[in-house]
Each structure stands twice: as C-alpha cells, then as structure tokens.
Amino acid sequence: MTAAQAERVSALLKAMADSVRLQLLSLVASHEGGEACVCDLTEAFELSQPTISHHLKVLHQSGLLERSKRGVWVYYKVQAEVLDSLGKLISSAGA
C-alpha cells in the first residue's frame, strides 16, 4: 500500500469509525432502490434530524455516499465502488 493509498484508507476509516455512521451506511445501502432520504433515516435513531444530517455530511465528504437534492429533500446513495476499493486495498495490504 502506498502512502497516498494509506491516507485515503485512513480518511475512509475515520469517517466510518462511528456507530451511527456505520448504521447509516447500512440503512442507506439496504433501503429500497439503494438510496434513502434523510426523512427515511431519522426514525431509526434517537437523534435529531440535524445530527443525522451532520453524520451524512461526513460520509458524503469522505466519498462514501453520494447525494442528490430533489425539491427540499436530499437523497443519499452508497458509493459501492469506494467500498469495494477500500476492501481491495485493505486485503492487498495483508498479502
């Protein structure tokens, strides 16, 4: 693993190093159509909508989620290729 790859993996792992964020990734990935609105996710947590939005923002900024705005709602979708790349980098580092 190169230094640049290690930096990228580190940033992704930092973004995922929170139980709420891991749950959000899982919920978005398993949601119908593979994408979810913030309004679909808040019920699963005893957290405010702004807190959920903050966690989603962290995941988006790290590249783990993509987002699109539709009217007043923002929809999130897991960047599967980023997760695949992360898994491959981690597994190749142990080889």
Side-chain angles (χ1 to χ4, degrees):
M1 180 182 296
T2 67
Q5 289 171 322
E7 284 294 321
R8 179 71 179 132
V9 169
S10 175
L12 292 172
L13 293 176
K14 284 178 187 176
M16 293 190 306
D18 182 280
S19 62
V20 171
R21 291 186 202 131
L22 285 173
Q23 284 181 284
L24 284 168
L25 276 174
S26 175
L27 286 170
V28 171
S30 64
H31 202 268
E32 186 177 330
E35 65 179 2
C37 175
V38 175
C39 61
D40 298 325
L41 302 169
T42 55
E43 296 174 5
F45 301 92
E46 292 183 16
L47 300 169
S48 67
Q49 184 273 324
T51 300
I52 298 297
S53 291
H54 166 75
H55 285 296
L56 290 166
K57 179 182 175 183
V58 170
L59 292 168
H60 170 71
Q61 288 177 331
S62 72
L64 290 163
L65 291 178
E66 64 179 69
R67 68 180 177 190
S68 62
K69 188 165 180 150
R70 299 180 201 153
V72 297
W73 298 109
V74 177
Y75 287 79
Y76 292 89
K77 184 175 184 175
V78 172
Q79 291 282 60
E81 54 279 351
V82 173
L83 288 177
D84 290 342
S85 295
L86 176 62
K88 288 175 186 173
L89 277 172
I90 291 172
S91 66
S92 71

